[in-house]
Amino acid sequence: MAVADISPWKAAKDSPSRQLLWELSRLALAEQEESYERLDQASRERGAVLRNALDDAAARHDRVRRDAEAERDRLVLEEAQKNAERRRQEEERKREAEAEREKAEKRHLEERAQAAERAERAATQEREAEEARLKAEKERRDAQVARAKQEEKEAAERRKAEEAREAKEAAVAATAARSTPQRKPTTPTTKQPTTSSPQQIRLDPDREKEHERYLEIHKTLKELRRFLAQQAKQNPQLKQRMGDMRRGIKKSVGQLREGGASLNRKQLTAIFDTLGEALKSFPEPKVSLATLIARPIQDIQAPALVIFLLNHFAKSVVAQLIKEAAVSPTIADAIGTTTVNVFAKDDYRVNGISLIDILIAKFHVVCPPLFGIYGSESTEQGRERLGWWREYKGGPWVSTQIHQDRMTGLGAGYAAISLRNFENSRMSNPYPPYHYWQTLAGILNVPEGQVTDTHLVLLRALLANSESRFFTAYGEPAKQLLQFALKEYPKRAPNGSTVASLLSNLGNTMKKDKKLYL
């Protein structure tokens, strides 16, 4: 826009002052414009400098960025190369390890194949040796069985002859007794035992020899107990289990109840389990059975712990008979059934021979009259031979009542053991009924003047509650023996006997309760 257009008076030329003012105005305006131009130029120059600086900074930034990216790319590439190298090395190690593993596996398979081949050869050799041993063992066992059968046959023939002889003697004795006048009853007297017998005792050599053999067996069993006690000191496991097993068997025997076999099946199973554990877990040490069986056998070894437990079982049976059967004789049947089942088991037989001699040895110790041993009740030696117990070792004798209670329990138990019927069992009877017959014959054939109250009490215990099994085993001969035992034998009772009438009255009891007429 022109100055005149803005201020018309500035263009006035009719006045110098105005002209001067206008010039001055123009000069001021020019200077102002020039000042503004200089400012704008300076601003432009500074802007250019700043833009150049920014461009330089951007260029430097770009260079730094490019360098950083290049370095990054280099590092990435280097890391990738390192990773690739590591992967290559790892794969190489894996290939080497796999090759080594395959090599080791191949070597292991070869060694296993060689070991299997060696084991097969060894097994073949061992099998052949075992077959040879079993063959030899079978031949030896067959020979022993044949010999045992022959011996058993001969023994049976001897028993039949002995039974016939004893029956004949019993009949003769009965005839003689009937022809002998009965003596008048006398007043009972009490005698103290003396150190010598007023009458010479006539001993049966065969019975005495057999009795001594069983006493030796009992002594051997005591030595076995001491031997195992020494072994247990060196074997803590044996010591602990031996005590636990012994207590378990004693507990099972003590829990036997009167009644059928089913009532005592749990106790019998517990006894079998204990003996089975001993047989399996403690096969060593072993002992010879030749010294534990009355009849001669070959020297056969058996685990000592099993024999120890059978001995303790027998001991518990005898103790239980004395404790329980003396008070309630009918409990003897349960104890006898369990006892025979244990000793009838094939695991506890030697070539078909039962180890029940371990139990019979204890009967020989506590009740010798069962086996034809007799003596005077009025002498120390006689009482020992009759099984009269002392209150403690070296102490006084037990009372007559206690002695007779012991004989009652032992007699009832012996009858329950020796009169078992095995006709319907696959097992063999470890103690057949002919032992019972021999025991009765031994008591009934005690010489005149040697019969004691012990014999009478024992005989009554053997016969009471056993007559049905006795008749099953022997039939008519059993009836004849009972007639003599209950009618004639009491007449042989010693003067002053208080138990002869009890034996005589047993016949009346059988007649009343069992309808048995003798």
Side-chain angles (χ1 to χ4, degrees), residues 289-307:
L289 295 179
T291 59
L292 299 175
I293 296 178
R295 63 188 296 181
I297 64 168
Q298 294 182 349
D299 188 9
I300 301 174
Q301 302 288 311
L305 183 58
V306 174
I307 304 302

Side-chain angles (χ1 to χ4, degrees), residues 326-345:
V327 179
S328 177
T330 53
I331 189 65
D333 188 62
I335 299 174
T337 300
T338 302
T339 302
V340 173
N341 281 334
V342 170
F343 284 105
K345 194 172 178 62

Side-chain angles (χ1 to χ4, degrees), residues 25 28-29 38 44 100 115 218 225 243 277 293 305 326 372 412 419 440 468 473 487 511:
S25 297
L29 289 171
R38 286 195 299 273
R44 286 193 294 274
E100 185 65 25
H218 186 262
R225 185 172 59 190
E277 179 189 352
I293 296 178
L305 183 58
L419 280 177
L440 294 180
S468 60
K487 293 182 178 181
K511 179 179 178 180

